[in-house]
Amino acid sequence: MRIEVDTHTHTVLCGHAFSTVEENARFAKKVRLKGFTVTEHGPAMKNCPEAYHINTLITVPDYLYGVRVYKGVEANILDYEGNIDIAPKYLVKLDFAIASLHDAVMDPGTQAQNTNALIAVLNDPMIDCIGHPGNPIFPIDQLAVVKEAARKGKILEVNNHSFEYRTGSRPFCNTLIGLCAEYGVRMAISSDSHFCRTLGNYEKAYDAMKEMRFPESLIINLTKKRFEAYLEERKVRITAAR
Ligand SMILES: [Zn+2]
Ligand SMILES: [Zn+2]
């Protein structure tokens, strides 16, 4: 099965990744991706760009080598109230916005605190997707998060990078995938690429989805068309909230 859009990728701009947008686009073309989202970290992570990089990100062409380049961000969640490090005036300009918990930015809280942070973020109309919610370093009440994502029409991510980098993620991702299937929550499979040659690499994430028999109909980035329909949903949601 081919996933047409990679929803989560990084570039040299963040200080800890190794490829440019240009290189990412070239490799995306090579592996026949139809699109990818540039989702740089927010400024609360060390060496990552200030939010105003979003003002210039939008000057990157929408298509490179025939591949659609969506403009996004991976905001850092800053506290257990779910505050994030990208202001709405920037988020509104983007095609897609992820928010994630990172231990390089904040200390993991109790299960209740981490859950509280994610539920608050799911209620932020500017945020579309929770990045790597299966990270065992940040234990959460998965059922509560999945139910809130269902209520708000938000996306939870299965992050391929987690299976290599965030050790112990697999069992947490599996139960999350199972709950999302049960409650009809849409999921994104992403590479979270930090080097161009890992764009579109979702092997382990897809394995987990297969194991849990996650329905393809709920994979938001399976086709470019389906992903773009979600981006329209985002626009409607943001307009309604303003
Ligand atoms: Zn992340
Ligand atoms: Zn990332």
Side-chain angles (χ1 to χ4, degrees), residues 100-146:
S100 311
L101 289 161
H102 294 108
D103 60 341
V105 172
M106 63 178 267
D107 292 331
T110 62
Q111 177 175 293
Q113 287 173 320
N114 299 331
T115 303
N116 198 63
L118 293 196
I119 287 186
V121 166
L122 288 167
N123 279 279
D124 183 336
M126 300 279 184
I127 297 297
D128 303 294
C129 176
I130 303 289
H132 41 78
N135 185 359
I137 290 179
F138 286 92
I140 56 167
D141 177 344
Q142 291 191 333
L143 181 61
V145 170
V146 166

Side-chain angles (χ1 to χ4, degrees), residues 169-231:
S169 285
R170 181 67 181 252
F172 292 88
C173 289
N174 277 20
T175 51
L176 199 64
I177 292 166
L179 285 169
C180 284
E182 191 181 335
Y183 287 87
V185 169
R186 294 168 293 178
M187 300 194 93
I189 305 188
S190 76
S191 69
D192 196 0
S193 174
H194 288 71
F195 179 61
C196 57
R197 289 175 184 237
T198 56
L199 248 87
N201 177 4
Y202 326 104
E203 209 178 315
K204 294 190 171 85
Y206 188 62
D207 257 15
M209 281 191 156
K210 233 171 33 192
E211 186 187 333
M212 299 309 294
R213 296 200 173 89
F214 190 75
E216 286 185 4
S217 59
L218 291 177
I219 301 175
I220 199 76
N221 53 327
L222 182 69
T223 66
K224 180 167 176 274
K225 194 176 162 204
R226 189 183 291 173
F227 184 63
E228 289 186 348
Y230 183 82
L231 302 185

Side-chain angles (χ1 to χ4, degrees), residues 9-80:
T9 67
H10 294 282
T11 74
V12 282
L13 190 64
C14 76
H16 65 264
F18 304 93
S19 301
T20 61
V21 176
E22 174 81 17
E23 288 162 340
N24 284 350
R26 261 189 261 150
F27 193 79
K29 167 85 175 169
K30 195 172 166 187
V31 294
R32 294 192 287 152
L33 280 172
K34 290 191 177 171
F36 68 95
T37 307
V38 180
T39 50
E40 218 41 272
H41 291 283
M45 189 177 281
K46 204 165 183 238
N47 294 328
C48 289
E50 291 299 328
Y52 60 71
H53 84 273
I54 288 166
N55 290 340
T56 47
L57 173 64
I58 58 175
T59 68
V60 172
D62 284 347
Y63 280 89
L64 287 169
Y65 306 103
V67 177
R68 178 73 166 91
V69 183
Y70 303 100
K71 316 298 158 52
V73 77
E74 183 182 14
N76 292 294
I77 300 171
L78 298 173
D79 52 36
Y80 309 127

